[in-house]
Amino acid sequence: MYKLIRQCRDNESLRQSFNRLAERTFGLSFETWYQMGYWSDCYIPYSFVYDGEIIANVSVNRMMHWWDGRMRPLIQLGTVMTDESFRRQGLIRSLMEEIERDFQGKAEGVYLFANDSVLDFYPKFGFRRAEEYCYERLITKDSEGRKREEENGGKAGDFDASDVCRVDLDNETERKALEKAIEENTFLCSLSFGGNLGLYMFYLSDFMKENVYYIPKLDAYAVAEIQGATLFLQGVLSRRSVSLEEAEAAFANGIDKIVLGFVPDDRSRYVCREHKEEDTTLFVKGSIFDGFEEKRLRFPVLGHA
């Protein structure tokens, strides 16, 4: 007999079982994230347990998104997994039905990102596939910009240390300052999200810890990846109002192109194109998503669960 549980976080035996299943399925563990205190009530695994082991799971991520001028509650599903020995028994279907009952009337919509092997699965639960859009622009350097690049030897991705510096996420003081900026973030873009420090730190304390920068003159943080002469700007975090143009300018040396991991409020400087990424297909459910494609939207990269 399978037992349904909601939230395995505080049961060490079940949490470790959850981690083992996640490692087998996705090659990742949530234990360090938990030990650092980032596993909050915003992340709720719905799991089936058999003989003391978690054998199937669908996790709920409670999200608040800035959308059409106000914060709106959504839920994002993730960590969908079933132990190989218990597949084809309808366990994921049962978990998703339980989640739908529990969150009826508590969220304006549900969404998830699916890998390419299960694209026919989620429409069975009322989800539809939705296209996302990416915003990017080429950099036109003025004479001063070219001069600064020449002084730096023309090396792509160079920047002045007074403009931007990498954050040491292993330093508690620097990490706490970043957390405060996240919790008090005033940088709003289309579909920016708040109230979920844990999801931000799932990325920034691990996979993207080398990509977090502080911009002193703006008192702002940027999550950025530099590949050749292209800047992938995944997010901007600040406790006070800053312009996206100012944040981009901090990385100007050696950069020919900027690609955003979110939708800017002012889109006039950017070219919009359909976003395609392997194993990251968006599925949505709810009337809030009517017109999603027409509005050329995208969920922020840092908000993917």
Side-chain angles (χ1 to χ4, degrees):
M1 188 70 179
Y2 305 139
K3 179 181 180 181
L4 172 67
I5 64 164
R6 299 168 178 82
Q7 188 57 279
C8 62
R9 176 190 61 199
D10 300 323
N11 183 314
E12 183 171 357
S13 176
L14 290 180
R15 189 179 71 251
Q16 296 299 343
S17 176
F18 175 84
N19 284 326
R20 287 193 293 272
L21 181 57
E23 286 174 343
R24 292 196 300 273
T25 307
F26 303 114
L28 60 85
S29 171
F30 292 75
E31 189 61 20
T32 299
W33 185 61
Y34 164 78
Q35 295 293 342
M36 294 181 74
Y38 296 130
W39 186 334
S40 73
D41 290 336
C42 289
Y43 182 72
I44 311 169
Y46 277 62
S47 312
F48 276 126
V49 177
Y50 177 74
D51 197 22
E53 291 287 325
I54 289 179
I55 50 93
N57 181 83
V58 179
S59 292
V60 170
N61 293 268
R62 296 165 57 196
M63 312 287 293
M64 291 295 294
H65 277 282
W66 179 257
W67 194 338
D68 290 339
R70 63 185 178 92
M71 297 302 286
R72 308 178 72 167
L74 302 174
I75 63 171
Q76 180 182 182
L77 304 183
T79 330
V80 180
M81 54 188 181
T82 305
D83 183 272
E84 191 172 345
S85 301
F86 295 87
R87 293 175 182 170
R88 298 179 181 85
Q89 297 185 31
L91 298 181
I92 297 300
R93 174 181 290 276
S94 296
L95 291 172
M96 293 188 70
E97 290 172 349
E98 193 71 26
I99 290 169
E100 185 168 6
R101 284 191 291 270
D102 284 358
F103 284 88
Q104 186 71 36
K106 298 178 181 178
E108 295 188 40
V110 186
Y111 67 101
L112 59 89
F113 294 92
N115 64 53
D116 296 341
S117 65
V118 292
L119 299 185
D120 295 329
F121 180 69
Y122 293 106
K124 299 175 183 177
F125 301 95
F127 287 86
R128 72 169 180 85
R129 185 170 177 169
E131 298 296 336
E132 292 191 287
Y133 291 83
C134 179
Y135 290 82
E136 59 187 45
R137 71 184 182 94
L138 298 177
I139 302 299
T140 302
K141 293 185 174 67
D142 57 20
S143 58
E144 180 62 24
R146 285 194 296 270
K147 178 182 177 183
R148 292 180 66 187
E149 186 172 337
E150 290 168 0
E151 289 173 350
N152 284 325
K155 183 180 178 182
D158 279 351
F159 46 79
D160 192 318
S162 64
D163 292 336
V164 59
C165 51
R166 184 175 276 110
V167 177
D168 181 2
L169 270 298
D170 292 324
N171 181 298
E172 184 176 4
T173 300
E174 294 189 33
R175 188 174 67 250
K176 291 298 182 183
L178 172 63
E179 291 175 10
K180 191 171 183 63
I182 293 171
E183 291 173 331
E184 300 179 8
N185 185 30
T186 61
F187 181 84
L188 297 178
C189 57
S190 297
L191 289 186
S192 59
F193 71 100
N196 197 328
L197 173 66
L199 186 51
Y200 274 111
M201 297 308 293
F202 183 77
Y203 287 99
L204 304 187
S205 66
D206 192 355
F207 309 106
M208 302 185 75
K209 65 188 300 184
E210 300 300 320
N211 304 117
V212 184
Y213 297 89
Y214 179 63
I215 307 172
K217 67 180 180 181
L218 301 180
D219 189 22
Y221 294 87
V223 182
E225 300 175 72
I226 300 171
Q227 297 180 14
T230 298
L231 172 71
F232 293 88
L233 185 59
Q234 309 294 20
V236 178
L237 302 160
S238 176
R239 297 164 57 192
R240 67 180 184 87
S241 179
V242 299
S243 75
L244 179 55
E245 190 170 7
E246 286 180 303
E248 292 175 348
F251 295 89
N253 288 349
I255 296 299
D256 295 331
K257 181 179 179 181
I258 296 175
V259 179
L260 302 181
F262 53 90
V263 179
D265 275 344
D266 179 5
R267 309 179 193 182
S268 61
R269 297 187 301 133
Y270 302 90
V271 174
C272 175
R273 61 172 175 79
E274 278 194 18
H275 176 69
K276 300 293 184 183
E277 184 177 350
E278 185 178 0
D279 289 331
T280 312
T281 299
L282 175 64
F283 282 88
V284 300
K285 184 176 182 179
S287 61
I288 190 174
F289 296 105
D290 294 346
F292 186 88
E293 288 86 350
E294 287 79 0
K295 294 177 182 178
R296 299 294 192 267
L297 295 175
R298 178 189 188 182
F299 283 103
V301 169
L302 296 179
H304 286 206

